[in-house]
Amino acid sequence: MNAFRATDDRFAHATPADKRPKAVVIGSGFGGLAAAIRLSCKGYAVSIYEKLDAPGGRAYVHRQDGFTFDAGPTIITAPFLLEELWALCGQRMQDDVDLRLMTPFYRIRFADGTSFDYSGDEEAMSAQIAKFSPADVPGYKRLMAAAERCRVLGFVEMGAVAFDKFKDLLAALPSFMRMNAWRSLHSLVAKHIKHPKLRMVMSFHTLLIGGNPFSVTCAYALIHSLEKNWGVHSAMGGTGSIVTGLAKLLAGRQVPIHYNAAVTRIRVEDGRARGIELENGEYVEADIVVSNADAAWTYRKLIAPEHRRHWTDRKIDNGRYSMGLFVWYFGTNRQYPDVPHHMMLLGDRYKELLTDIFKHKKLADDFSLYLYRPTATDPSMAPEGCDSFYVLSPVPHLDGDTDWPTMAETYRQRIAQALSDSVLPGLQDHVVSSKVSTPQDFQDRLWSFKGAGFGLEPLLLQSAWFRPHNRSEDVAGLYMVGASTHPGAGVPGVLMSAKALETVVPHANSFA
């Protein structure tokens, strides 16, 4: 029996005496869980409907052969955003979640075997940069000053602004100008850093939120500053332990999470969301509906076209979406102590590979990889003497012509060979557990439009006011949280979307 289901059934339905307005949340990813907590604290009777058999959405946990595999987000920055949710419930996050600071944050390994240990320590970073190009040390400091400016202007001042009205965009224009937000992130990095390898080190971060560094706005340099100010953390027990902690908070507030409950329609009457229809035919009435599902999927698949004047089929189809993700989860019967918790393995091509992925939608013969080894910090995520891994390869989303059901195993084998030839010697002889996820799985299992990993790509004209709004432009009483709405992907962005939601959702008393 699902452990979450066992606790949730106690609160399956609000009691007849419950006069609070009803909020239905679609999806139990980080955004949906955070939104449910905040709405319950605002006086709503909240219930969550989740397609999968456990919470987490993209942060689902796979357990197989004694190994624990985090399905998606593994990098935790700005932990104060999580602490806020516990504080709203009168509790301390530290009592439920054990976060550990990573040192270094990442190891970036280049195709020639050289490496760079990326951290938040300015002295250590200067030493790492000097290994490649001492002349770039002053440029690094200038870049970090620009990143701090972007953090203040883009994250602190705008992250929780819902950009609900055009005047919100007008008010933000001076900040966009101060950030030179029309420039790409890579062009900002190149302005300050000259060595080609260091340009890769300082620009790859936007791939973690679905954006090509040669295209996305340089406002996302703020990621550097977020990491420097608050560090990169990992949770003992994996990211799933954070999801478990949030679900526990909701159980304490008598907020049910209904699993295996796929939402197939948001019912709209007189231009207002009135509730949701489930795959099993059940109708759930609500005063407001909050979708933590992919925004493009929500509009394209859950809302009839006659109710969408802004997010039309054509507008949705013509958006520029983030790349897809190929993820191989695997366990080994030996350990690889030289591999850190987070490692980036960059191939020979950088811009050219990203052009193949984002522009040509072509599955290239080469790849760059993110290798995650949580057992470097927490041995409990694998049987004794073993290691738990996942390796992620950015790939085209489903607008490309890759036939993933026939290609997945071939691609996995190529990645396995590359890892065996570099940082995991003899890998093929030691894999004892294996599971693969492709963009096709993102579409079929997570209902991610085009199988994109992060919704719309965070380009300037697909950010802030131009991104799907936290309060729907088309349907009254419908709201959005998660990676595909404002402010965007990444755990901090998703948690901030729930804060932005709070600024536009009516107070529960307004329904009296």
Side-chain angles (χ1 to χ4, degrees), residues 282-293:
E282 182 182 352
Y283 170 61
V284 182
E285 190 176 11
D287 294 290
I288 66 169
V289 175
V290 178
S291 180
N292 181 216

Side-chain angles (χ1 to χ4, degrees), residues 183-448:
R183 301 185 62 164
S184 73
L185 174 67
H186 191 273
S187 70
L188 173 66
V189 171
K191 176 183 175 182
H192 299 291
I193 302 290
K194 304 307 176 186
H195 195 283
K197 287 183 177 179
L198 297 178
R199 286 179 173 180
M200 296 184 207
V201 167
M202 297 301 166
S203 66
F204 79 86
H205 287 71
T206 56
L207 290 166
L208 303 176
I209 58 170
N212 182 348
F214 292 89
S215 304
V216 303
T217 168
C218 70
Y220 287 101
L222 64 86
I223 299 173
H224 287 291
S225 187
L226 279 180
E227 293 181 342
K228 184 176 181 181
N229 278 276
W230 288 290
V232 168
H233 298 79
S234 291
M236 298 297 284
T239 307
S241 67
I242 303 175
V243 173
T244 300
L246 293 171
K248 178 182 173 184
L249 290 180
L250 289 166
R253 299 192 63 79
Q254 300 194 5
V255 173
I257 308 177
H258 304 276
Y259 300 108
N260 301 304
V263 176
T264 55
R265 179 72 64 184
I266 296 170
R267 187 176 294 185
V268 180
E269 298 172 1
D270 300 323
R272 172 171 285 276
R274 300 294 182 181
I276 59 171
E277 298 174 16
L278 304 180
E279 196 169 42
N280 65 4
E282 182 182 352
Y283 170 61
V284 182
E285 190 176 11
D287 294 290
I288 66 169
V289 175
V290 178
S291 180
N292 181 216
D294 179 75
W297 188 279
T298 298
Y299 282 117
R300 192 75 162 78
K301 305 291 187 178
L302 304 186
I303 300 170
E306 62 265 27
H307 302 303
R308 295 187 274 115
R309 289 185 295 178
H310 185 85
W311 289 104
T312 63
D313 289 356
R314 181 177 180 182
K315 181 178 177 66
I316 294 167
D317 292 346
N318 290 340
R320 289 176 59 180
Y321 289 85
S322 68
M323 73 286 197
L325 303 175
F326 180 94
V327 190
W328 176 33
Y329 311 93
F330 61 96
T332 59
N333 60 6
R334 58 155 289 187
Q335 294 179 327
Y336 291 87
D338 292 337
V339 176
H341 200 106
H342 300 295
M343 176 178 268
M344 312 296 168
L345 294 97
L346 302 183
D348 283 319
R349 299 191 308 153
Y350 188 54
K351 183 177 182 179
E352 297 82 3
L353 175 60
L354 295 174
T355 299
D356 280 344
I357 294 169
F358 283 91
K359 183 177 180 180
H360 301 313
K361 311 295 187 297
K362 170 189 172 184
L363 185 66
D365 293 332
D366 58 333
F367 35 68
S368 288
L369 305 170
Y370 161 47
L371 182 63
Y372 170 58
R373 178 180 171 247
T375 37
T377 304
D378 186 357
S380 74
M381 295 186 70
E384 186 175 357
C386 299
D387 262 339
S388 175
F389 291 93
Y390 88 44
V391 60
L392 180 154
S393 175
V395 295
H397 60 59
L398 294 179
D399 274 357
D401 60 2
T402 304
D403 182 1
W404 282 111
T406 59
M407 187 64 190
E409 176 57 18
T410 299
Y411 197 69
R412 185 202 67 78
Q413 290 177 8
R414 285 166 48 193
I415 290 174
Q417 186 63 55
L419 292 173
S420 183
D421 291 342
S422 55
V423 296
L424 301 178
L427 174 61
Q428 289 97 322
D429 295 331
H430 295 284
V431 173
V432 293
S433 186
S434 179
K435 181 179 180 64
V436 164
S437 178
T438 74
Q440 192 67 52
D441 297 309
F442 271 73
Q443 176 178 271
D444 297 345
R445 184 169 179 271
L446 297 173
W447 285 355
S448 178

